[in-house]
Amino acid sequence: MGATGSNYGGVGLIEMRNARFRPDGMVEAGASLRHQRRFWFVGFQALPWLETTFRVSERLNGTTGSGMTSDRSFDVKIRLWEENDWRPALAVGIQDIAGTGIYGGEYLVASKRFWDFDVTLGMGWGRLGTYADGNNPLTDIWSGFGDRRRDVGQGGTLRWGSYFQGEDISIFGGVEWTVPPVDTPWGVFEGLRAKVEFSGDRLRDERGGYPANTVNLGGYAQARVNAGLQWSNDWLDLGVHWVNGTDVVLRASVRMDPHDPPRAPLPAPPAMAARPEGGSAEAQEAAPRIFAALREAGLRGTAVAIEGEEARIAVSGGRYRTLAQVAGRVVRAAQPFLPRQVERVVIAWSRDGLEIARLMVLRSAMEAAARGHGSAEEIFATATLMPPGEPFDNAARAPGPFLDWGIEPRVRLVLGDPSRTLLYQAALAGGARVELGHGISLVGSVAQVVAQNLDGAAPSDSVLPHVRSDYARYADEGRNLAIPTLYAERIWSPAPDVFARATAGYLEPMFAGVSGEVLWRPHDRPFAIGLDVNYVAQRDYDQRFGLRDYRVATGHLSLYADLPWWNLTTTLRGGRYLAGDWGGTVEVARRFDSGIEVGAFATFTDVSFSRFGEGSFDKGIFIRVPLDLFGVQTRSSIGTVIRPTQRDGGQRLAVDNPLWEVTRDGREDALRRGAGWFTR
């Protein structure tokens, strides 16, 4: 009996939450539609015991009494303990933890299963306590729990002074029945749930009534009991509910498990050829054939050296995102052309002209795995990861320069902007990179907007320099053949595990200038430290070659660290941002072995909440999905950042090749988690 979703997003009954959770890591997105209100939500089971939900609510404009307005909310639910034979599952949660407070409420809830019935009973505060069944029991501990703060300022901040506070609480509960499978002429029908709940939320219509104290404009529920049907399978939830005695709600959501996402089949790796007969072959003779075989495998060979029992092969770029898969394809491609006595193969892997990892694998381990007598885990156990080093001595080298180019779709989403719930831009972009040697490259791109409503966003009202909030003007004037980037760059490694980048030109769609970065990234340690310094000028809205008057020096000191739990990573930054503000950013992300990454960030600077504007400070959620899940052999990914609102405080420069992103897949942790790709 898996959990099902509520109308507000997150696991629950209908409008009330229960003490159930999705499987660890589950991502869910969906909508609930009803008269005068629509809820769009994204949920993430961030940890086994932590459920998070971001929601955009469209509702009747309470100021005018007509038209719709939007509101952003973020919910959390924490498991206190799991159910066993005698005790129920218990959870505590906060609804709208950092929003305007319109849907703000807290709850303590228990759930217990009895055969096919899941029974829930809970206690709600705030919005979930508006039926006022009794007094807040926490006032017996401290009288201050009886006062609930209403003023939330610009919104977007934690509502200190309101959590579990207020004079009243409500009791809520319900039953979810798993309907037994039914035989039909079309097969067995199963997955249907019937739900009935007793609500703690009296406020059906928020027009002026909540969280303000004005009562005469409030619209109240005509009935306290809600009921409905919901059907679920492995990835889809569909529901229809009758709520508040007045409204029908239609609910739909889709789910994905990042541990094991749906994956289009990829071609099997090439067969492992037998070792050639005969004696040694010189690298100069073998290199052209190895380079050709690497091209067939989707990699670019840059150097080959053979000495005794060791072959050294340098490759660059390629369509594979893990070091293990790169190593597996290199050995398979080179196998027919390596002398029989070679037992060790050293692969130097470069991205964007920068070597990020050097890995030694045993040829015999690769052969055994290909014959079914070994495994990817055995290849990993016998492999040795080394820091990037000097170019191979006495190697045959491929002549440069090297050209990489491509055409790809680009989609930008702004979810929850006050002017419209969803703003989007779809464009077709073409880009090229010419590697001239010694880490020096020339890079450029051009983009043509195909469809958008991003240009219809409300004009900026920011009192800060408009470093990001004029995105609607950039979308409007840059729709035709914009030049997002055009720059020269050098990326190199001045010392083992130390990387450097120098970039000059049109760095991103909104800024041009010079950018420098240094990163110390030990290949066998779970951390890295980086420093970037930039001096940039704001670009014209048409994203061609003109510049505006605004200039700023910006830069950050950054710490990147792998946490010892659940494949979590964290990034801490401190420095000066594009609007000239000083402060810091905290980012926490979870990267699954499938390559899917989900995270959140928050930035606090010396800009006051009132000067920042709506939202109070910059924060958001991001999701990245590797394209190889769709059957495309590439190391690229697609992703989006969901911000409650786009403002100017706490904004960083967005260069193409931040060193951490370029080099992170060459670390020991990344190799260990991607070891299964040796044989894929």
Side-chain angles (χ1 to χ4, degrees):
M1 294 173 59
T4 57
S6 70
N7 289 342
Y8 285 109
V11 172
L13 291 165
I14 298 174
E15 291 192 337
M16 301 292 103
R17 302 297 178 90
N18 57 22
R20 303 304 181 192
F21 292 79
R22 295 287 192 197
D24 178 39
M26 189 69 71
V27 178
E28 182 176 23
S32 296
L33 309 178
R34 63 187 292 189
H35 178 60
Q36 295 184 341
R37 281 169 298 286
R38 295 186 289 267
F39 303 110
W40 311 88
F41 51 82
V42 176
F44 177 43
Q45 189 67 40
L47 300 171
W49 47 268
L50 175 63
E51 175 191 278
T52 62
T53 306
F54 174 75
R55 180 176 56 257
V56 176
S57 307
E58 292 180 309
R59 56 186 174 82
L60 184 70
N61 191 323
T63 302
T64 64
S66 64
M68 304 294 284
T69 186
S70 65
D71 182 76
R72 279 80 62 204
S73 307
F74 186 73
D75 307 343
V76 297
K77 182 167 71 174
I78 298 172
R79 175 187 287 136
L80 299 181
W81 62 64
E82 295 185 277
E83 177 180 5
N84 64 18
D85 290 343
W86 300 103
R87 75 179 182 211
L90 187 67
V92 62
I94 301 178
Q95 185 170 285
D96 201 4
I97 191 172
T100 60
I102 291 176
Y103 294 98
E106 304 80 48
Y107 55 91
L108 180 69
V109 64
S111 297
K112 187 77 175 74
R113 286 194 175 96
F114 300 93
W115 300 281
D116 292 335
F117 297 89
D118 194 22
V119 180
T120 291
L121 183 65
M123 179 188 302
W125 288 257
R127 175 71 185 250
L128 305 180
T130 47
Y131 269 107
D133 295 316
N135 296 326
N136 185 352
L138 297 179
T139 56
D140 295 337
I141 302 173
W142 176 51
S143 60
F145 277 113
D147 298 322
R148 188 176 183 92
R149 182 170 66 88
R150 304 287 187 179
D151 182 15
V152 295
Q154 296 284 347
T157 60
L158 296 175
R159 296 183 288 101
W160 301 117
S162 64
Y163 302 134
F164 300 95
Q165 295 183 218
E167 295 180 357
D168 304 317
I169 59 95
S170 293
I171 301 300
F172 65 86
V175 177
E176 180 175 349
W177 174 41
T178 300
V179 179
V182 177
D183 289 324
T184 72
W186 305 276
V188 177
F189 178 71
E190 57 185 347
L192 185 65
R193 312 290 179 91
K195 298 182 177 183
V196 178
E197 74 174 11
F198 185 73
S199 177
D201 183 358
R202 185 187 181 196
L203 297 165
R204 177 189 63 83
D205 188 343
E206 301 82 21
R207 287 180 55 191
Y210 195 83
N213 291 319
T214 305
V215 175
N216 59 341
L217 293 179
Y220 298 106
Q222 293 186 13
R224 192 169 181 177
V225 175
N226 304 322
L229 296 173
Q230 199 156 322
W231 174 82
S232 303
N233 63 9
D234 292 338
W235 60 276
L236 178 65
D237 268 18
L238 298 174
V240 56
H241 305 122
W242 178 253
V243 300
N244 306 138
T246 53
D247 293 346
V248 173
V249 180
L250 302 178
R251 182 195 188 280
S253 65
V254 294
R255 303 186 306 281
M256 179 184 67
D257 181 1
H259 290 289
D260 185 23
R263 183 188 298 274
L266 289 171
M272 179 71 74
R275 297 192 188 191
E277 298 292 340
S280 175
E282 295 294 331
Q284 294 288 347
E285 297 177 3
R289 289 175 289 173
I290 292 176
F291 290 153
L294 289 171
R295 282 194 299 271
E296 287 291 321
L299 293 158
R300 183 173 66 238
T302 58
V304 172
I306 301 174
E307 184 176 339
E309 295 184 350
E310 184 171 282
R312 307 181 191 100
I313 303 173
V315 295
S316 181
R319 54 183 183 233
Y320 310 110
R321 61 179 173 83
T322 68
L323 176 58
Q325 194 173 24
V326 168
R329 294 305 174 100
V330 168
V331 174
R332 283 179 171 82
Q335 170 79 350
F337 313 110
L338 294 178
R340 189 173 184 83
Q341 74 273 14
V342 168
E343 292 293 344
R344 301 182 303 276
V345 182
V346 177
I347 298 106
W349 183 29
S350 295
R351 279 185 175 175
D352 299 317
L354 174 68
E355 184 181 324
I356 66 170
R358 190 167 289 193
L359 181 69
M360 187 279 292
V361 296
L362 295 183
R363 191 180 184 185
S364 58
M366 291 291 302
E367 291 171 327
R371 294 194 301 266
H373 299 158
S375 65
E377 290 73 18
E378 289 173 282
I379 299 172
F380 172 72
T382 57
T384 302
L385 181 65
M386 299 170 283
E390 295 296 324
F392 295 140
D393 292 331
N394 302 318
R397 305 189 186 281
F402 302 111
L403 171 65
D404 289 319
W405 66 277
I407 299 175
E408 64 182 16
R410 291 183 180 176
V411 178
R412 182 181 179 188
L413 302 176
V414 177
L415 182 63
D417 184 86
S419 65
R420 196 174 301 179
T421 299
L422 176 64
L423 297 170
Y424 72 92
Q425 182 185 72
L428 194 64
R433 182 183 188 92
V434 181
E435 295 182 9
L436 303 176
H438 305 287
I440 300 173
S441 301
L442 300 177
V443 184
S445 61
V446 63
Q448 174 64 47
V449 172
V450 178
Q452 68 173 358
N453 67 358
L454 193 64
D455 54 343
S460 172
D461 61 356
S462 175
V463 300
L464 299 174
H466 291 191
V467 295
R468 295 296 187 202
S469 60
D470 281 336
Y471 59 87
R473 293 197 64 179
Y474 280 94
D476 181 30
E477 298 186 28
R479 66 176 65 234
N480 293 317
L481 297 179
I483 301 174
T485 56
L486 182 62
Y487 56 82
E489 181 172 71
R490 187 186 181 206
I491 307 181
W492 74 103
S493 179
D497 287 332
V498 177
F499 307 92
R501 175 184 57 81
T503 311
Y506 296 88
L507 305 175
E508 51 137 292
M510 294 186 183
F511 285 92
V514 293
S515 173
E517 183 181 5
V518 177
L519 177 73
W520 177 49
R521 188 227 62 183
H523 68 282
D524 56 352
R525 295 289 185 270
F527 61 85
I529 299 174
L531 174 67
D532 67 277
V533 179
N534 320 276
Y535 183 74
V536 294
Q538 194 165 23
R539 297 179 60 182
D540 276 347
Y541 300 123
D542 63 3
Q543 299 168 58
R544 299 287 177 84
F545 300 106
L547 300 175
R548 300 176 59 77
D549 292 335
Y550 184 72
R551 307 285 191 275
V552 66
T554 177
H556 295 82
L557 180 67
S558 302
L559 170 66
Y560 311 90
D562 296 326
L563 301 180
W565 316 283
W566 299 295
N567 287 344
L568 291 171
T569 63
T570 186
T571 302
L572 305 177
R573 304 187 196 276
R576 193 180 195 218
Y577 294 83
L578 285 172
D581 45 336
W582 292 82
T585 298
V586 178
E587 176 184 305
V588 178
R590 189 172 181 189
R591 195 177 195 186
F592 297 88
D593 291 347
S594 64
I596 294 173
E597 187 170 16
V598 183
F601 63 90
T603 299
F604 301 91
T605 72
D606 56 3
V607 173
S608 66
F609 290 170
S610 59
R611 290 192 68 220
F612 181 92
E614 184 177 356
S616 301
F617 63 94
D618 190 48
K619 54 192 170 295
I621 302 166
F622 61 88
I623 301 174
R624 300 187 188 115
V625 179
L627 287 175
D628 61 24
L629 294 179
F630 304 98
V632 182
Q633 288 194 315
T634 176
R635 61 182 177 90
S636 298
S637 62
I638 57 173
T640 188
V641 177
I642 301 172
R643 278 184 167 91
T645 184
Q646 177 67 72
R647 307 295 290 183
D648 294 309
Q651 301 302 308
R652 297 181 63 243
L653 189 69
V655 297
D656 278 348
N657 293 312
L659 290 176
W660 170 248
E661 294 299 329
V662 172
T663 66
R664 65 185 299 188
D665 289 326
R667 301 176 307 131
E668 184 178 83
D669 178 70
L671 176 64
R672 174 181 55 80
R673 290 195 282 117
W677 286 95
F678 274 117
T679 54
R680 297 181 190 174

